[in-house]
Amino acid sequence: MEEIRNIYCVGRNYALHAKELGNDVPEEPMIFSKPTHALHPASGKLALPGTIGEIHYELEVVVRIRTAYKPGMKADELIDGIALGIDLTARDVQSQLKEKRHPWLLAKGFIGSAVLAPFQPFEGGEAFENLTFSLMKNEETVQSGSPRDMIFSLQQLIDFIGTRMGLGAGDIIYTGTPAGVGPLADGDTLELKLAAGGKEETFGPLYVDLIE
């Protein structure tokens, strides 16, 4: 994780997730970022602040950039890894920030809020579109999705971010979460599942520890 430079995240990139939170479907990608201090491996104890209100899980596919972006480059040229991640969100804090029209950083960038499993080799095209991913909380599936349901494709995200903020080796992109987000409780156990090419891998377990 020490090789990661910038963490870009995409909000509302699955229509059903936007709907479940009462948000409009965006007309262009909604991009925010997290500090690298937010990174946490997808196993072991996950210590989170228990004094900031509800913290929601948002399972996402994450891609890793291997070289500097130049206009016209294709996703397959830029990406060398794929992983699962959880964009943890302090939902009460986020609601307060939205009301004040303030940036989301305090709700999205706290320590431990960027859970990340190990990266796997990236396969683009239909292989990426057809993969499926899911999140198990206390041995029950709470989220599942596939990149085929993203509002903005991987190529659209890369072009949008690359032309406006730049992309370089070591940058990662959390590509958005499907419906089913919800709160974490102290003692919850999380597992992340990625199915691609007829194989399924499980990452975790991750043990939630809300610190008062």
Side-chain angles (χ1 to χ4, degrees), residues 127-199:
F128 176 77
E129 293 291 322
N130 291 330
L131 68 82
T132 60
F133 58 101
S134 59
L135 179 67
M136 304 284 289
K137 185 178 80 165
N138 303 329
E139 300 184 352
E140 293 186 8
T141 301
V142 291
Q143 276 191 285
S144 60
S146 172
R148 74 173 72 92
D149 297 323
M150 295 195 307
I151 297 169
F152 302 104
S153 69
L154 194 53
Q155 187 66 51
Q156 287 175 303
L157 297 178
I158 285 172
D159 290 336
F160 187 89
I161 297 170
T163 57
R164 290 163 175 80
M165 289 163 279
L167 283 169
D171 292 346
I172 64 174
I173 304 173
Y174 281 65
T175 59
T177 191
V181 304
L184 292 174
D186 189 54
D188 280 346
T189 300
L190 304 174
E191 290 184 306
L192 301 74
K193 295 182 181 292
L194 175 66
K199 298 180 181 180

Side-chain angles (χ1 to χ4, degrees), residues 47-53 185-186 209-212:
L48 298 172
T51 58
I52 59 175
D186 189 54
D209 183 13
L210 297 182
I211 307 298
E212 296 296 330

Side-chain angles (χ1 to χ4, degrees), residues 79-111:
I79 297 171
D80 71 349
I82 183 173
L84 291 182
I86 305 176
D87 164 21
L88 292 173
T89 304
R91 192 68 72 198
D92 295 334
V93 175
Q94 186 185 43
S95 296
Q96 294 167 6
L97 293 171
K98 285 180 178 180
E99 289 178 2
K100 298 176 181 178
R101 298 183 180 275
H102 287 181
W104 293 357
L105 185 57
L106 288 175
K108 291 286 193 176
F110 54 92
I111 293 173

Side-chain angles (χ1 to χ4, degrees), residues 2-103:
E2 64 273 5
E3 299 177 356
I4 294 173
R5 295 176 56 199
N6 296 301
I7 305 172
Y8 295 111
C9 304
V10 185
R12 304 179 194 173
N13 200 26
Y14 286 76
L16 290 180
H17 170 59
K19 183 178 180 180
E20 73 179 345
L21 294 184
N23 295 318
D24 294 332
V25 174
E27 296 182 359
E28 64 179 13
M30 294 179 58
I31 308 300
F32 59 93
S33 64
K34 291 176 180 273
T36 54
H37 297 292
L39 287 166
H40 190 287
S43 61
K45 185 174 77 170
L46 175 61
L48 298 172
T51 58
I52 59 175
E54 287 192 349
I55 295 177
H56 283 204
Y57 53 80
E58 299 186 15
L59 180 67
E60 314 204 2
V61 172
V62 184
V63 295
R64 182 178 62 196
I65 304 300
R66 68 177 181 86
T67 190
Y69 172 85
K70 295 179 182 178
M73 294 183 74
K74 300 300 182 184
D76 291 2
E77 301 176 78
L78 286 160
I79 297 171
D80 71 349
I82 183 173
L84 291 182
I86 305 176
D87 164 21
L88 292 173
T89 304
R91 192 68 72 198
D92 295 334
V93 175
Q94 186 185 43
S95 296
Q96 294 167 6
L97 293 171
K98 285 180 178 180
E99 289 178 2
K100 298 176 181 178
R101 298 183 180 275
H102 287 181

